[in-house]
Amino acid sequence: MKEVRLNNGVVMPAVGFGVYQIPVEDTERCVSDALEVGYRMIDTASAYFNERQVGDALRRSGLRREDVFVTTKLWVQDYEYDDALRAFDLSMKNLGLDYLDLYLLHKPYGNYYAAWRAVEKLYKEGRIRAIGVTSFSSERLQDLFLHNEVKPMVNQIETNPLFQQRRANDFLRQEGIQHEAWAPFAEGQRDIFNNPTIKAVAAAHGKTTAQVILRWLNQRGVVVIPKSVSRERMAENFDIFGFTLTDDEMRRMAVLDAGRSPVYDDQDLPTVRGIGLHKIH
């Protein structure tokens, strides 16, 4: 699976490059390296404060605009209808783009109904090729699309061997919404790169644990956006199509599921309050 076709017919790469937590001063170099390695999808967000550096790297790459799939995200602070339209314009100015490939609501808090209707407007105007959400539970996602006009094309949710999101994956498949993983490496929690099961599978294929994790997600139909500041690791993370995990290996990976996030608990009220009230401007 090197590409996926979204429910509106737009084709999206199955492997992209994420820039979350990359320092602003390193972002342009990292995106340039990723594009040279072969990545053709870049994932950023207004809340990452590096859209401008992503845009600079895109312009200096020499690649045609239509050959790179660009994603950014709308932050909760800008979820009122008019605020969402202004925030989109600012993101486009920072990126230096005439259109966006994918625009996501960043978190399921605040007035995301108003935000979604603003995003629907931009989509209908042709300024965005595909729209979706991030970190929405299946219940909130279903409620959103049942009461609006345009069904989301993507839900980007935390998904990794420690938090496999099986029920969400089943629901997204059923509804024709593409499952995309953030934190595919669980942000390094619980020493995931040295997990004995993953290391054993990696050794059997002569691959790294990171490559096995990404291939495992890929075989489940999940789009991935790994992040690295190392060009060598970028190349490794992109090279996941030359091997296939067996059914037995997929079952062994399935046993690792703890059923909860190793990154943060989205049912923890102080955490939810902190995210919901976080200001980026």
Side-chain angles (χ1 to χ4, degrees):
M1 184 184 71
K2 295 188 178 182
E3 293 178 331
V4 298
R5 187 172 295 276
L6 304 181
N7 61 29
N8 67 340
V10 167
V11 174
M12 175 183 186
V15 178
F17 183 72
V19 299
Y20 177 56
Q21 294 181 328
I22 293 181
V24 171
E25 62 271 20
D26 294 330
T27 301
E28 184 179 344
R29 172 189 62 80
C30 288
V31 173
S32 294
D33 284 348
L35 293 170
E36 289 177 9
V37 163
Y39 290 85
R40 291 296 180 265
M41 178 166 67
I42 307 297
D43 179 279
T44 185
S46 58
Y48 301 167
F49 302 107
N50 55 18
E51 290 174 317
R52 190 178 302 278
Q53 290 72 26
V54 169
D56 289 343
L58 291 170
R59 282 187 294 279
R60 293 172 183 171
S61 70
L63 294 168
R64 297 182 306 168
R65 170 65 187 94
E66 59 267 30
D67 290 337
V68 184
F69 191 101
V70 182
T71 301
T72 194
K73 308 177 189 77
L74 177 70
W75 186 246
V76 178
Q77 183 181 358
D78 294 313
Y79 274 12
E80 295 301 331
Y81 186 89
D82 289 337
D83 292 341
L85 296 177
R86 282 191 291 268
F88 175 79
D89 285 340
L90 179 59
S91 285
M92 296 300 284
K93 179 180 178 181
N94 287 336
L95 288 164
L97 300 179
D98 295 325
Y99 69 90
L100 191 66
D101 296 287
L102 178 62
Y103 199 37
L104 304 176
L105 303 192
H106 205 150
K107 293 291 178 182
Y109 310 126
N111 194 1
Y112 56 82
Y113 263 72
W116 186 253
R117 286 167 182 162
V119 170
E120 284 183 325
K121 175 181 185 294
L122 295 165
Y123 173 70
K124 291 173 184 176
E125 290 174 350
R127 301 186 67 191
I128 311 169
R129 299 177 64 226
I131 57 179
V133 298
T134 307
S135 298
F136 272 59
S137 67
S138 296
E139 294 80 8
R140 289 201 178 197
L141 178 58
Q142 178 177 257
D143 184 64
L144 183 70
F145 70 68
L146 286 178
H147 300 288
N148 285 285
E149 294 181 20
V150 181
K151 194 173 194 178
M153 290 102 204
V154 173
N155 189 13
Q156 186 185 110
I157 55 177
E158 181 192 347
T159 315
N160 51 63
L162 307 177
F163 188 37
Q164 300 188 8
Q165 300 273 24
R166 294 181 207 168
R167 290 182 65 187
N169 184 265
D170 288 344
F171 173 74
L172 294 171
R173 283 178 180 270
Q174 171 189 316
E175 294 296 335
I177 299 170
Q178 179 59 49
H179 184 168
E180 183 177 16
W182 65 260
F185 302 137
E187 297 188 356
Q189 297 297 311
R190 301 182 196 168
D191 201 22
I192 193 170
F193 294 113
N194 289 308
N195 180 280
T197 297
I198 304 175
K199 287 181 73 174
V201 174
H205 292 275
K207 297 294 182 180
T208 67
T209 51
Q211 287 172 312
V212 165
I213 291 169
L214 296 175
R215 183 58 175 156
W216 165 77
L217 285 163
N218 176 261
Q219 287 184 216
R220 295 178 64 215
V222 180
V223 169
V224 294
I225 45 170
K227 179 266 292 183
S228 179
V229 298
S230 162
R231 186 183 178 114
E232 179 182 2
R233 290 195 182 94
M234 290 178 199
E236 286 180 355
N237 293 340
F238 192 67
D239 181 24
I240 64 168
F241 298 107
F243 70 106
T244 301
L245 303 187
T246 66
D247 290 344
D248 179 65
E249 289 168 338
M250 294 293 285
R251 284 191 289 269
R252 289 160 62 191
M253 292 286 290
V255 174
L256 302 177
D257 190 9
R260 62 183 182 275
S261 169
V263 178
Y264 75 87
D265 181 3
D266 64 5
Q267 297 299 307
D268 176 69
L269 293 179
T271 298
V272 172
R273 180 182 179 86
I275 293 172
L277 297 179
H278 178 64
K279 307 295 186 185
I280 65 171
H281 56 79

